[in-house]
Amino acid sequence: MRNLCMTLTYDGTAYYGFQVQPGGNTIQDHLEDAIRALTGEKVKITGSGRTDAGVHARRQIFNFSTESQIPIERWCIALNSRLPSDIIVIDAVEVSHDFHSRYAAKKKTYRYTVNANQFPDVFNRRLQYHHHAKLDIAAMQEGLRHFIGTYDFTSFASRKSQKDNHVRSVYEAWIEVDRSMCRDHPRDQGVIHIYVSGNGFLQHMVRIIVGTLLEIGEGKRKASDVPNMIAASNRSAAGPTAVSCGLMLWDLEYKKD
Amino acid sequence: MRNLCMTLTYDGTAYYGFQVQPGGNTIQDHLEDAIRALTGEKVKITGSGRTDAGVHARRQIFNFSTESQIPIERWCIALNSRLPSDIIVIDAVEVSHDFHSRYAAKKKTYRYTVNANQFPDVFNRRLQYHHHAKLDIAAMQEGLRHFIGTYDFTSFASRKSQKDNHVRSVYEAWIEVDRSMCRDHPRDQGVIHIYVSGNGFLQHMVRIIVGTLLEIGEGKRKASDVPNMIAASNRSAAGPTAVSCGLMLWDLEYKKD
């Protein structure tokens, strides 16, 4: 048996998330179907983690065991020709038998994109949440800084979270503002990319952080209140969950063997 | 009667081009329906020009006459709420009665995008033609320069063109290569943006220029042969028509009043 590790990228708009669900039509379903069509084997793949329905990945990792002797350099093209056009495998390597995509992940980075210009960007509308009201971006940056550190993030997890332990470490978090689509118009505030990087994330965690930052940007909450929201360990202390389409699994870092 | 001029942007993937067709589902149909829903008037709009099925517009202009007294600053939001999400009106101004979107256009710029990296870009797949074979980009640049000037472009027009006069002026034409998506891999050649700007374009003209440049890039034709292809005044002297999804109406320049 070989243990193969693959990198993929996907537009999550049409799918019910990464992980297999009773209703089907997940990224994992399509990958397992493509591997079965190619090798005849019914495999179960392991992803670095789940992404929710509608969430995208610039870079996601999965691994699986196979008896197939197909040379490693053929896998990307062979799988891509059996996958829908919004899921693309971009790298394939053979790894040691004990490699596990989830356990070996050291750091994950998500990016959430808020288009704060007057009009939606028609060519990126599936990848952005369009928010046309005035935002105080400096206050959002201040609020975001309070998430860096190791905390119990119960206030920032879905009430449906089934994890026993809600302690997670956020290593870095920053905002980049892209003004390339701005016209000379006061309602064009730029496209705001919010990056959050850490050792792992609870269900909806990045989207609740963003929903809270948007309320801070609107002046409904104070940036300096974030530590109290975290300390409350209560979902109702934080802001709403931002819509899924703005979220993208941006990057993954793995332990060196 | 007021003459209103509007700027719009659209993702053309789902439409049968700009101009009304017997089968419906064109950009013009949706705009006229939205105006009728808003004002109750059955108007006929005039675009700066057609775009083919599947072609996009970063910036397109149309004008129409209306009895409506809706203030000019309300039009964008009012129409956008009645349009599909892939068609967005981004500016509205009242113009003089003799303004005509097509006659007053002085210069049009189209951009065609060829993704020459190993893999498609999943987030821009609707806006790019993916060409994974080796391309000689310097030869394509040399070939493109031969199109600048005033010529009879019959060789670069659809055989279905109904224009009497095929003489057009190409003012500028250039290539930009975006290597931001390239990995350290010999098959990643970058995303090639081909810009062509002129006083007007024949049906399929930019796509036939691009199809010819791709054959030059593949070594099937010589850049120095472009003048002969133009001089032949025969569609069969030029290369194939590149697929529509890579084409975008990029910009328009109007006569100053």
Side-chain angles (χ1 to χ4, degrees):
Chain A
M1 293 286 267
R2 300 154 85 196
N3 188 12
L4 303 187
C5 173
M6 306 207 173
T7 307
L8 82 156
T9 178
Y10 51 85
D11 175 338
T13 308
Y15 302 103
Y16 296 133
F18 184 83
Q19 183 163 296
V20 165
Q21 301 286 340
N25 195 32
T26 66
I27 310 289
Q28 185 176 349
D29 286 312
H30 286 278
L31 290 167
E32 292 178 353
D33 289 351
I35 295 166
R36 178 142 59 152
L38 178 62
T39 65
E41 291 175 329
K42 192 164 164 29
V43 305
K44 189 176 174 323
I45 66 169
T46 303
S48 77
R50 310 174 177 199
T51 56
D52 289 334
V55 173
H56 319 288
R58 171 175 168 267
R59 190 157 173 261
Q60 166 72 296
I61 298 278
F62 67 94
N63 70 291
F64 61 96
S65 291
T66 177
E67 302 274 9
S68 164
Q69 292 307 313
I70 296 171
I72 195 68
E73 66 277 10
R74 302 260 181 91
W75 278 86
C76 291
I77 288 171
L79 288 179
N80 288 336
S81 68
R82 291 162 173 84
L83 284 166
S85 66
D86 43 11
I87 304 175
I88 304 176
V89 178
I90 57 170
D91 194 41
V93 288
E94 189 161 349
V95 289
S96 64
H97 286 283
D98 58 355
F99 175 86
H100 186 287
S101 295
R102 192 164 73 252
Y103 301 153
K106 205 174 66 174
K107 185 166 129 179
K108 289 181 188 175
T109 303
Y110 278 91
R111 182 178 90 165
Y112 194 98
T113 299
V114 178
N115 176 357
N117 291 329
Q118 184 182 11
F119 296 112
D121 172 355
V122 76
F123 304 116
N124 287 298
R125 66 193 189 283
R126 287 185 184 77
L127 310 175
Q128 302 179 337
Y129 166 53
H130 183 233
H131 184 286
H132 38 65
K134 180 86 189 139
L135 286 173
D136 179 343
I137 299 175
M140 292 169 68
Q141 278 171 318
E142 192 199 326
L144 183 57
R145 275 195 292 273
H146 291 294
F147 288 98
I148 301 171
T150 301
Y151 303 106
D152 182 309
F153 280 104
T154 299
S155 300
F156 292 85
S158 162
R159 288 192 177 88
K160 293 177 189 161
S161 168
Q162 291 171 1
K163 302 281 179 183
D164 295 331
N165 181 348
H166 284 178
V167 176
R168 295 290 182 277
S169 293
V170 171
Y171 300 135
E172 292 156 288
W174 71 99
I175 287 177
E176 290 173 5
V177 182
D178 176 355
R179 297 192 51 87
S180 65
M181 293 289 288
C182 292
R183 302 157 303 160
D184 183 21
H185 192 286
R187 296 209 27 205
D188 278 1
Q189 305 170 90
V191 173
I192 304 170
H193 298 294
I194 301 162
Y195 294 85
V196 186
S197 137
N199 63 347
F201 292 90
L202 300 165
Q203 192 181 7
H204 294 178
M205 181 168 153
V206 179
R207 290 164 58 191
I208 300 170
I209 290 174
V210 171
T212 304
L213 291 179
L214 287 169
E215 292 200 339
I216 291 170
E218 290 168 337
K220 293 180 186 164
R221 288 171 184 268
K222 286 184 182 168
S224 57
D225 260 358
V226 170
N228 293 332
M229 297 178 214
I230 296 172
S233 279
N234 183 343
R235 174 67 187 88
S236 60
T241 307
V243 295
S244 62
C245 73
L247 189 61
M248 189 181 289
L249 178 54
W250 187 253
D251 210 356
L252 296 163
E253 218 171 274
Y254 275 83
K255 288 170 189 148
K256 297 255 158 54
D257 282 333
Chain B
M1 291 290 267
R2 301 155 83 196
N3 188 10
L4 303 187
C5 174
M6 307 208 173
T7 307
L8 83 158
T9 176
Y10 52 83
D11 175 338
T13 308
Y15 302 103
Y16 296 132
F18 184 83
Q19 183 163 297
V20 165
Q21 301 286 339
N25 195 32
T26 66
I27 310 289
Q28 184 177 349
D29 285 313
H30 285 279
L31 290 167
E32 292 178 353
D33 289 351
I35 295 166
R36 176 139 62 150
L38 178 62
T39 64
E41 290 176 331
K42 193 165 163 31
V43 305
K44 189 175 175 321
I45 66 170
T46 302
S48 77
R50 311 173 176 201
T51 57
D52 288 335
V55 172
H56 318 289
R58 171 176 169 269
R59 192 156 173 262
Q60 165 73 294
I61 297 279
F62 67 94
N63 70 290
F64 60 97
S65 293
T66 178
E67 302 275 9
S68 164
Q69 292 307 314
I70 296 171
I72 195 69
E73 67 276 10
R74 302 260 180 90
W75 279 87
C76 290
I77 288 172
L79 288 180
N80 288 336
S81 69
R82 290 161 175 85
L83 283 166
S85 66
D86 43 12
I87 304 175
I88 304 176
V89 178
I90 58 171
D91 195 40
V93 287
E94 190 164 347
V95 289
S96 63
H97 286 284
D98 59 352
F99 175 85
H100 186 287
S101 296
R102 193 165 72 252
Y103 302 152
K106 203 173 68 173
K107 185 167 131 179
K108 290 181 189 177
T109 304
Y110 278 92
R111 182 179 91 166
Y112 194 98
T113 299
V114 178
N115 177 356
N117 291 329
Q118 183 181 13
F119 296 112
D121 173 355
V122 76
F123 303 116
N124 288 297
R125 66 194 189 283
R126 288 185 182 78
L127 310 175
Q128 303 179 338
Y129 167 53
H130 183 233
H131 184 284
H132 38 67
K134 181 86 188 141
L135 286 174
D136 180 343
I137 299 174
M140 292 168 68
Q141 277 169 319
E142 192 198 328
L144 184 56
R145 275 195 293 273
H146 291 294
F147 288 98
I148 301 172
T150 301
Y151 303 106
D152 182 310
F153 280 105
T154 298
S155 300
F156 292 86
S158 163
R159 290 192 177 87
K160 293 179 190 159
S161 168
Q162 291 171 0
K163 302 280 180 186
D164 294 331
N165 180 349
H166 284 177
V167 175
R168 295 291 182 278
S169 294
V170 171
Y171 300 134
E172 293 156 289
W174 70 100
I175 288 178
E176 290 173 5
V177 182
D178 175 356
R179 298 192 51 87
S180 65
M181 292 289 289
C182 293
R183 302 157 305 160
D184 183 21
H185 192 287
R187 298 213 21 210
D188 278 0
Q189 305 169 93
V191 173
I192 304 171
H193 298 294
I194 301 162
Y195 294 85
V196 186
S197 140
N199 63 347
F201 292 91
L202 300 165
Q203 193 182 6
H204 294 177
M205 180 168 154
V206 179
R207 291 164 57 191
I208 301 170
I209 291 175
V210 171
T212 304
L213 291 179
L214 287 169
E215 291 199 339
I216 291 170
E218 289 168 337
K220 293 179 186 165
R221 288 172 185 267
K222 285 185 183 167
S224 57
D225 261 358
V226 170
N228 293 333
M229 297 179 214
I230 296 173
S233 279
N234 181 343
R235 174 69 188 85
S236 61
T241 307
V243 295
S244 62
C245 74
L247 188 61
M248 190 180 291
L249 177 54
W250 188 252
D251 211 355
L252 296 164
E253 219 172 275
Y254 275 83
K255 287 171 191 150
K256 296 256 159 51
D257 281 332

